Amino acid sequence: MSLINENFLELQDSYLFSTIAKKVAKFTEENPNKKVIRLGIGDVTKPIVPACLEAMHKAVDEVGTQSGFRGYGPEQGYEFLRKAIVENDYKSRGIEITEDEVFVSDGAKCDCGNIVDIFAKENKVAITDPVYPVYLDTNVMSGRSGKYNKEKETYENIVYLPVMAENDFKPELPKEKVDMIYLCFPNNPTGTVLTKEELKKWVDYAKENQSIILYDAAYEAFITESHIPHSIYEVEGAKEVAIEFKSYSKTAGFTGIRCGYVVIPKEVKGFTKGREEVSYNKLWNRRTCTKFNGVSYITQRAAEATYSEEGKKQIQENINSYLENAKIIKQGLEEVGFTTYGGVNSPYVWLQIPKGMTSWEFFDKLLEEVNVVGTPGSGFGPHGEGYFRLTAFGTKENTIEAMKRIKKLKN
Ligand code: MLT
């Protein structure tokens, strides 16, 4: 008889975006003539830029020749890409990261989820609330959450750090000692940011408490304000306590191509029960070699091309146009009296929904009355209740149309 991993039974419902997809599929089946506009999941709509396409075509031709054929690549990523990452994403910002501290992967979602492998089950985990569900669910799966409390809608062993209008969406330091802290800035789902000084408090906390910050910077390319850090390593001391996740999904439209990376500086250390120091970089390298065979050569060449002069320019144009959508959403909502957050350094606009309604009720109202899909705030955690997320990753035409429709919502 095989026994199951009972931690999975502690998971609540299905994965948020699958639930939404199911609801939308049911609605479209029942209303085949209605044109639904999807501003729910943060999936991009702009095609891959020419610089990346060209690099992929070239790589395809290359692997079709005897001399250019590539079998298994290095599990951690090809040197050419790790070098480009170090140069463009770190050195250019005055951050010293070495190539062997970079691990190329098939995306930040997988990295954020898989990273739990190298941490002990006993670690106390802190997450912001609301939060990108992957951080929480993967800790539930790996047995760190304890039991779910239905009334409170929280897990007994997870420390929740509320982010809401009342604290300007800036999480407060935990009152108790925690070992693993998930931070995502620009934030998913609220679209808000932290300054370097605000982030410094977290780095200091982590140093004092020998905790690790798991920093998701998947949306850094959308930062428009110059004082907002693009990497946690811009903060002094962060290299000792932070692991950083980056993604080409939103930056370069690779949600379907799949590529990202995680940075684990060698100074980031954990401890054995006997208090012996161990480098997380070493553990992750070992895990990667065992469980992963690397990202395809063709994909990594595409990722490398995002750093070429042409690539940078083309990608920036796409990002600007998504940011333009964010502006359209924000303005459109504010014109009809919604209070909004985010959308300035982020492709996400977080809005306060009318009082007396749950965020799932607002989801249904939006879908049924004006055929627009968004993401209910409570899907990201209990403090997301009362809020709703719209993504700027739609086409401009759909974004404008969605705003026109939302203005017609009945009170
Ligand atoms: C989101 O909508 O929050 C993201 O697209 C999900 C993801 O990146 O996995």
Side-chain angles (χ1 to χ4, degrees):
M1 180 178 62
S2 77
L3 298 176
I4 62 156
N5 176 351
E6 288 193 30
N7 297 328
F8 277 64
L9 303 181
E10 283 302 319
L11 291 166
Q12 299 308 299
D13 305 326
S14 67
Y15 184 60
L16 172 63
F17 295 106
S18 319
T19 309
I20 293 174
K22 263 187 223 140
K23 271 183 171 263
V24 176
K26 184 168 178 280
F27 180 84
T28 45
E29 200 185 302
E30 288 165 3
N31 302 275
N33 300 326
K34 299 216 162 126
K35 187 192 164 214
V36 172
I37 299 179
R38 291 174 167 79
L39 304 182
I41 190 165
D43 197 2
V44 292
T45 48
K46 286 196 171 296
I48 303 299
V49 299
C52 295
L53 278 186
E54 221 170 274
M56 279 194 278
H57 281 302
K58 205 169 143 222
V60 168
D61 290 339
E62 226 180 314
V63 295
T65 65
Q66 194 57 62
S67 59
F69 170 73
R70 300 276 196 312
Y72 294 127
E75 295 90 344
Q76 306 84 348
Y78 282 102
E79 201 189 324
F80 63 80
L81 180 54
R82 295 170 99 191
K83 233 186 191 140
I85 290 168
V86 165
E87 286 296 320
N88 291 279
D89 288 344
Y90 294 102
K91 223 181 206 154
S92 67
R93 300 204 161 95
I95 302 164
E96 276 302 318
I97 292 289
T98 56
E99 282 149 41
D100 55 358
E101 293 174 323
V102 176
F103 298 85
V104 176
S105 72
D106 56 348
K109 180 182 188 175
C110 315
D111 284 338
C112 289
N114 291 331
I115 202 79
V116 294
D117 275 10
I118 59 172
F119 290 95
K121 196 175 150 224
E122 293 77 10
N123 283 331
K124 191 93 182 164
V125 173
I127 55 165
T128 57
D129 170 21
V131 78
Y132 177 43
V134 172
Y135 318 143
L136 177 63
D137 283 2
T138 54
N139 277 291
V140 176
M141 290 172 182
S142 51
R144 254 172 239 104
S145 66
K147 292 274 168 224
Y148 187 69
N149 181 325
K150 271 211 162 60
E151 241 163 73
K152 291 190 185 152
E153 295 175 48
T154 53
Y155 287 92
E156 61 181 357
N157 293 341
I158 301 284
V159 173
Y160 291 80
L161 310 166
V163 281
M164 50 199 174
E166 288 78 356
N167 63 8
D168 201 18
F169 298 96
K170 303 194 190 301
E172 274 172 35
L173 293 174
K175 307 238 174 341
E176 59 192 289
K177 193 172 154 17
V178 299
D179 308 300
M180 295 161 65
I181 306 158
Y182 286 85
L183 294 178
C184 171
F185 290 99
N187 187 254
N188 180 14
T190 66
T192 55
V193 286
L194 289 190
T195 62
K196 222 187 261 186
E197 293 67 37
E198 285 157 350
L199 215 44
K200 174 90 167 62
K201 285 187 212 154
W202 288 93
V203 170
D204 292 345
Y205 172 93
K207 280 174 121 176
E208 244 171 72
N209 294 281
Q210 296 184 311
S211 24
I212 298 294
I213 298 174
L214 298 146
Y215 193 74
D216 186 350
Y219 299 92
E220 71 64 33
F222 294 84
I223 293 173
T224 56
E225 294 176 310
S226 58
H227 65 290
I228 302 300
H230 286 250
S231 161
I232 192 165
Y233 304 124
E234 288 180 45
V235 176
E236 202 199 316
K239 267 181 74 182
E240 291 158 49
V241 291
I243 291 177
E244 179 161 280
F245 304 95
K246 289 268 187 87
S247 165
Y248 297 97
S249 285
K250 323 289 157 127
T251 314
F254 280 21
T255 51
I257 304 252
R258 307 304 310 148
C259 196
Y261 64 88
V262 52
V263 175
I264 312 188
K266 292 194 203 95
E267 299 95 306
V268 181
K269 304 266 172 63
F271 298 89
T272 63
K273 286 198 178 119
R275 304 245 145 215
E276 201 185 312
E277 258 190 9
V278 179
S279 156
Y280 278 116
N281 178 293
K282 221 166 133 183
L283 298 187
W284 185 250
N285 188 49
R286 187 68 179 81
R287 183 216 175 266
T288 302
C289 293
T290 304
K291 291 198 180 182
F292 193 51
N293 259 337
V295 177
S296 83
Y297 174 69
I298 297 160
T299 299
Q300 291 193 57
R301 280 294 184 200
E304 182 195 26
T306 64
Y307 299 113
S308 67
E309 275 320 302
E310 273 308 292
K312 279 184 192 165
K313 225 173 84 208
Q314 293 162 358
I315 283 168
Q316 193 56 50
E317 272 167 29
N318 284 358
I319 289 172
N320 290 348
S321 108
Y322 289 136
L323 283 167
E324 186 58 36
N325 285 351
K327 217 182 259 174
I328 293 169
I329 296 174
K330 222 171 148 64
Q331 277 170 3
L333 290 170
E334 284 173 6
E335 273 169 32
V336 284
F338 285 102
T339 303
T340 69
Y341 307 94
V344 174
N345 295 294
S346 158
Y348 295 132
V349 177
W350 190 240
L351 59 125
Q352 227 151 14
I353 60 169
K355 294 258 175 296
M357 199 181 248
T358 69
S359 56
W360 274 112
E361 281 165 358
F362 188 71
F363 172 91
D364 289 335
K365 182 177 167 69
L366 218 57
L367 179 60
E368 281 155 27
E369 271 183 34
V370 294
N371 316 137
V372 173
V373 181
T375 311
S378 66
F380 296 102
H383 281 88
E385 188 52 277
Y387 296 93
F388 200 76
R389 194 191 77 177
L390 290 176
T391 160
F393 286 125
T395 63
K396 185 167 186 176
E397 193 192 351
N398 278 347
T399 306
I400 292 171
E401 171 64 21
M403 284 308 110
K404 267 193 204 149
R405 293 189 194 175
I406 288 176
K407 284 178 185 168
K408 288 188 199 138
L409 267 183
K410 296 186 200 102
N411 280 328

